[in-house]
Amino acid sequence: QVQLVESGGGLLQAGGSLRLSCAASGSSFSIAIFAWYRQAPGKQREQVAFITSGGDTHYADSVKGRFTISTDNAGNTLYLQMNKLKLEDTAVYYCNADIQQDYGLGTRVFPSWGQGTHVTVSS
């Protein structure tokens, strides 16, 4: 089974910076799309950004120009560099990956989610 483990959340003041990390572990797998989502209290979960195995990136309008999504060279660790943080960035942040894994008879595809990490921005 592929596991996603997040880290890097915390409490900081508006205007500050924070970097989130998400490490994927397992065997015989690849990630087609790696993404960050967030969910604030009383709101639906929204996609913040994603990156494909080919390096294409996309950002929600609310974070464009402030956040940067990236992976390590192996494509197994996801990062989200968050700059100029705002109060409205306060949320639980989740990493998500579309996994392709060999199970012997063939391959299977499935989504995998991290446990979530809290980001709280204060004035």
Side-chain angles (χ1 to χ4, degrees):
Q1 183 177 359
V2 177
Q3 301 277 335
L4 301 181
V5 180
E6 298 163 316
S7 62
L11 172 65
L12 72 168
Q13 292 186 332
S17 298
L18 202 63
R19 189 179 77 160
L20 306 182
S21 300
C22 177
S25 62
S27 61
S28 301
F29 75 94
S30 62
I31 299 174
I33 301 175
F34 228 154
W36 286 101
Y37 289 75
R38 68 184 182 186
Q39 187 166 22
K43 295 184 177 181
Q44 293 184 334
R45 186 173 299 184
E46 64 174 343
Q47 188 180 72
V48 176
F50 71 79
I51 184 168
T52 70
S53 60
D56 297 323
T57 60
H58 172 81
Y59 298 91
D61 289 340
S62 59
V63 306
K64 192 174 299 181
R66 299 187 298 119
F67 291 9
T68 302
I69 189 170
S70 63
T71 63
D72 64 355
N73 290 333
N76 293 330
T77 302
L78 178 70
Y79 303 99
L80 184 67
Q81 179 65 48
M82 303 185 294
N83 299 325
K84 300 179 180 179
L85 283 162
K86 303 176 180 180
L87 294 178
E88 53 264 40
D89 294 321
T90 296
V92 179
Y93 284 72
Y94 301 88
C95 62
N96 167 264
D98 289 336
I99 305 295
Q100 180 173 325
Q101 187 174 46
D102 185 359
Y103 65 94
L105 298 177
T107 59
R108 60 180 179 178
V109 293
F110 56 93
S112 184
W113 291 88
Q115 80 285 0
T117 185
H118 289 76
V119 174
T120 302
V121 183
S122 64
S123 62

